[in-house]
Amino acid sequence: MNVGVISDTHGLLRAEALAALQGCERIIHAGDIGNPEILDHLASIAPLYVVRGNNDLDAPWAENLADSLCFDLNGWQTLLVHDSADVPAVLDAGIKLVITGHSHKPRIEWRGERLYLNPGSAGHSRFAERPSAAIVLIGADGELECQFIKL
């Protein structure tokens, strides 16, 4: 399974991001979307999991978006929240993948058997970080590999 992970678009969906996500079987947006048309574009590529970010809270179009989601990605129980501060201190033992955004800083960090992933910001450049997204590859054997895509 090939999963595209994007966050913090803040109303800007780069052509490079769209190109990088082509062929993904699922797409995850970790919040701070900025514009509902971004979700339409992403959903036209693949089924979409999305949470709203702090900058989406007052947007009428985002009022029905969840603050957190739990779902299965080819055997990997996944928690999706915008801000890592909203990840519970004690997670269900079944959660093996935690995806966040908010910081605009890309991160892949294994903590024991659990992977924490932040794809960085795919929107406007901030904090001296180059815009980025991530691809998660889950093999038939359940092996997971992540890679960043610089935009």
Side-chain angles (χ1 to χ4, degrees):
M1 176 177 268
N2 190 4
V3 181
V5 184
I6 192 168
S7 187
D8 296 277
T9 47
H10 293 279
L12 173 62
L13 186 56
R14 298 169 181 275
E16 304 96 324
L18 283 172
L21 297 172
Q22 292 299 317
C24 287
E25 297 169 64
R26 300 281 186 278
I27 297 176
I28 296 168
H29 195 305
D32 277 358
I33 301 146
N35 184 321
E37 292 175 2
I38 289 174
L39 299 181
D40 294 337
H41 286 296
L42 296 175
S44 73
I45 298 170
L48 184 62
Y49 296 100
V50 59
V51 293
R52 64 184 175 177
N54 56 297
N55 286 297
D56 303 319
L57 291 177
D58 294 330
W61 59 265
E63 66 187 15
N64 292 324
L65 295 178
D67 293 320
S68 68
L69 288 177
C70 288
F71 51 92
D72 180 88
L73 284 177
N74 208 29
W76 284 77
Q77 292 301 312
T78 303
L79 171 66
L80 173 62
V81 298
H82 177 61
D83 188 342
S84 62
D86 295 327
V87 174
V90 178
L91 286 170
D92 179 283
I95 300 292
K96 298 298 181 196
L97 175 59
V98 177
I99 299 173
T100 63
H102 187 64
S103 72
H104 294 233
K105 297 178 182 176
R107 176 180 71 157
I108 297 172
E109 179 183 351
W110 285 96
R111 296 182 195 169
E113 296 291 316
R114 187 173 287 142
L115 175 64
Y116 288 77
L117 170 64
N118 184 323
S121 171
H124 303 282
S125 236
R126 293 177 62 185
F127 310 118
E129 295 286 344
R130 186 171 168 191
S132 63
I135 299 291
V136 176
L137 303 167
I138 305 172
D141 59 359
E143 288 291 317
L144 184 141
E145 178 186 330
C146 293
Q147 57 192 42
F148 291 118
I149 300 165
K150 296 297 182 183
L151 305 174

